[in-house]
Each structure stands twice: as structure tokens, then as C-alpha cells.
Amino acid sequence: MTDAGVPLRVVSYNIHSQRDDTAALAEVVRTAAPDVVIVQEGPRRFRWRQKTAALAESFGMVVAAGGLPSLGNVLLTSLRVRVVDTRCQRYPLTPGRHMRGAAYAQCRVGGVDVLLAGSHLSTDPAERPAQAAAFKRELAASTLPVVAGADINEGPDGPAWQTLAEGLTDTALAADRADRLTFSCSDPRRRIDALFVDPRIAVVDYDVVDTPAARRASDHFPVLVDLLLPTA
């Protein structure tokens, strides 16, 4: 804890269903040494519990919430983060499309309570606004400071992004790093991955991790953010 608040390092990361270099994936996360990893495209099918536990172990972390019940959204934490309560959400299914959802964990860090949340919105622009609205309702209902990571599948000018950003801090903008692109690793052209936080939370630093290992690990770059949680 500092005089200004409780530090929390967060990674939000679409891991591409672990279809790429898993050793590089573990290297990226372990090098970042986060307190929280908000995962999109985590294990969600056969033996998902074992696969999620193995993913967490490879990162040097533990499973807080998510997996199959949240359709591949997973929240992982270090041992300094105490998980108090968890829940999962599934968005209404549009026929012929993949189901989407979100994971939530009420946590305590250094005596401060916070809500962690993660989601992965549809690639279909017709579906995303309703999914963003459903995710936003859960975030807005929280009385705790919110830390929410998402693969939104659209940029900051899109309606789903704007729905999620309303009333929250876009950590890239707060750190004057909105020019850092997150997708794709092979041809970075778009910022479609975001970390939003409650205005009570201070943004200390923001980065999009672009290293040789990150380019091998997934088709998305991870977002890495240092925060200070409010103590009062």
C-alpha cells in the first residue's frame, strides 16, 4: 500500500484458445508479473476445469472465476488477491452464432474491495450492442470500484465500446497511449481490446506488450495496466 492507494497490476489478454505458442504465452504473463489476468478465449469445452487450472499454473496464478459457465472468459489472480465471491453471465443467444458471456469476481486486495470483470463480445456488429448493454448493466450495478477487461471486437468509435466506456476510465486514454494497437499481432491495425476502470481508481501506467514472445503467443497483444485502488 502507498499513501495514494493499493497497487494492482492487471493484464487483459485474448489468448486465442491457446492455439499458438503456449510456452511463449506463459513467458509473456510471467514476465509481466500481474496480480490479475483477465482472459478471453480461455478453456470452455471438454475438461475445461483441468485446462483452466493448468493455464493458471503456467502463469503462476490461481483460478478465480470463469471457464465454461462464462463461455471462455476466465479471471486469474495472484495469491495477494483474495476472492470473496464469483458469478458468471451468458448473453442471449442469436440463432446460428457463438454464445458469449462474462465472468465476475469480487476480490479484496490490501484491504480494498474491487469487482473484477471480463468479457468477449461478438464479431457480429449487429450482436455487440446488446451484449455490451448486458455487460454494462452488471458493471453499473456494482457499488465496488470496477476493473473490467474485454475484447470488444470493435474500436473506440463503435457503439458497443462507447456503451462500456460511459462513466468509466479508458485506461489507454488516461495514460495517453490510445495509439497502441492490440490486434492483430501479425498486422497491428486496431485497438479492440480494452481495460476500463472506475474513476475512483488511478491509472499509473498502461502498455500493450509487443515482444517477440507476445507475437508468438496469440493473435492479440496483451494489455498491461498498473492501477492504484482507492483506500477510502
Side-chain angles (χ1 to χ4, degrees):
M1 182 184 299
T2 72
D3 292 340
V6 175
L8 186 74
R9 173 168 281 196
V10 180
V11 166
S12 186
Y13 202 174
N14 182 321
I15 63 170
H16 200 209
S17 300
Q18 298 172 270
R19 290 185 294 208
D20 302 300
D21 187 331
T22 55
L25 181 66
E27 177 186 339
V28 169
V29 174
R30 284 181 174 269
T31 299
D35 299 301
V36 172
V37 182
I38 301 172
V39 173
Q40 300 91 41
E41 291 197 32
R44 57 175 289 183
R45 293 186 175 88
F46 179 67
R47 297 180 61 211
W48 65 271
R49 289 183 180 85
Q50 296 95 322
K51 292 175 182 177
T52 302
L55 175 69
E57 183 178 9
S58 75
F59 290 171
M61 309 189 82
V62 297
V63 180
L68 175 62
S70 61
L71 302 169
N73 295 286
V74 179
L75 303 176
L76 307 176
T77 61
S78 72
L79 294 179
R80 71 179 287 260
V81 178
R82 183 162 75 87
V83 179
V84 177
D85 193 20
T86 67
R87 66 184 187 277
C88 294
Q89 176 184 20
R90 293 189 179 190
Y91 304 136
L93 176 63
T94 300
R97 308 299 297 179
H98 293 298
M99 291 188 72
R100 303 281 179 165
Y104 305 88
Q106 178 184 340
C107 298
R108 185 164 296 154
V109 189
V112 177
D113 290 324
V114 63
L115 179 69
L116 306 177
S119 187
H120 183 191
L121 303 191
S122 176
T123 56
D124 185 339
E127 288 188 306
R128 283 196 298 270
Q131 294 174 354
F135 189 35
K136 183 68 172 185
R137 282 193 294 271
E138 295 293 320
L139 302 179
S142 175
T143 59
L144 300 176
V146 168
V147 175
D151 173 0
I152 304 175
N153 267 314
E154 68 181 31
D157 58 343
W161 184 297
Q162 292 172 9
T163 292
L164 293 177
E166 184 177 359
L168 297 175
T169 299
D170 180 337
T171 55
L173 289 176
D176 196 24
R177 300 278 177 82
D179 59 335
R180 301 298 304 275
L181 307 179
T182 66
F183 183 80
S184 68
C185 289
S186 61
D187 185 19
R189 295 189 178 189
R190 307 171 68 197
R191 183 166 80 96
I192 64 173
D193 303 273
L195 189 77
F196 299 109
V197 298
D198 187 289
R200 291 171 286 181
I201 297 174
V203 180
V204 178
D205 198 13
Y206 173 99
D207 196 14
V208 173
V209 181
D210 182 355
T211 63
R215 287 178 177 257
R216 299 195 306 272
S218 176
D219 58 343
H220 289 245
F221 294 115
V223 171
L224 171 63
V225 185
D226 283 303
L227 305 169
L228 282 177
L229 304 180
T231 56

